[in-house]
Amino acid sequence: MNPPLLPLLYAALFLFAYGAIWLSVRNQHSYTGPDFTTIAIVYIAVAVMIGVAGRVVHGATAGVSRRSARKRLAEGAIVAAAYVAAYVFMGALRNDGAGNAIVYGVFAATGPLIVVGSVMAAFAAAREVWPSVGLAMAIVAVCTGSAFAGPIWVWAFAGVGCSVACLVYAAARVWPSRASTKGI
């Protein structure tokens, strides 16, 4: 279940979060990474978005079977584990001597989304929800390509690219329903 306005909220979140981080790192000539205040603001925005998405999805799935609710909970736990694993890996990169440009730049901007996007694509493919597969794979592709932009510009390219992917997905969900109501 993915209510129609959720992809628009995701698009705005990508622009806000990645844009804020890009603004905080764009003048760094020796890359150190985003400042603490920006990271805190972004995490608060993400937490609010998770809360909004949770309420919307909960409302949209009210009354579903107990088995479906357990399946959704299990999928959420798997996504959370994948997300945490990506950040633990980031810590391992830092521990193994990778520089700030890799750890707090390229990998931080793209790694978690590549991992979680791949997991989400697998879940959507298992349910045969092809538009969601397309969105997840578009986010994976955008992040993979954005990694080549370097530690500063990766934030801008990934943010704009993921936002555009969410907007295209939202438009694709609305367009068929509009086309089918014109004949009525």
Side-chain angles (χ1 to χ4, degrees), residues 29-174:
H29 296 295
S30 178
Y31 190 87
T32 57
D35 60 58
F36 178 76
T37 304
T38 304
I39 293 294
I41 291 168
V42 166
Y43 279 132
I44 290 168
V46 169
V48 168
M49 182 61 199
I50 289 170
V52 168
R55 285 188 63 82
V56 168
V57 171
H58 178 69
T61 58
V64 297
S65 73
R66 186 176 215 154
R67 183 175 180 206
S68 294
R70 276 196 312 261
K71 181 179 175 185
R72 183 168 295 285
L73 188 61
E75 287 176 348
I78 291 166
V79 169
Y83 199 66
V84 168
Y87 279 101
V88 170
F89 186 80
M90 192 170 88
L93 286 173
R94 185 69 183 144
N95 186 58
D96 290 340
N100 290 343
I102 297 299
V103 177
Y104 304 120
V106 174
F107 186 82
T110 61
L113 289 176
I114 291 170
V115 171
V116 172
S118 298
V119 169
M120 296 303 293
F123 286 156
R127 290 189 309 267
E128 296 184 9
V129 182
W130 305 118
S132 294
V133 172
L135 172 61
M137 293 310 299
I139 287 174
V140 168
V142 162
C143 288
T144 301
S146 295
F148 288 96
I152 294 172
W153 284 98
V154 67
W155 295 103
F157 290 157
V160 170
C162 290
S163 182
V164 167
C166 289
L167 292 173
V168 168
Y169 174 77
R173 292 195 58 210
V174 170

Side-chain angles (χ1 to χ4, degrees), residues 5-39:
L5 291 179
L6 225 40
L8 297 176
L9 292 173
Y10 292 145
L13 180 66
F14 273 118
L15 280 181
F16 171 77
Y18 276 61
I21 293 173
W22 176 74
L23 288 171
S24 80
V25 300
R26 67 188 164 115
N27 292 324
Q28 293 179 4
H29 296 295
S30 178
Y31 190 87
T32 57
D35 60 58
F36 178 76
T37 304
T38 304
I39 293 294

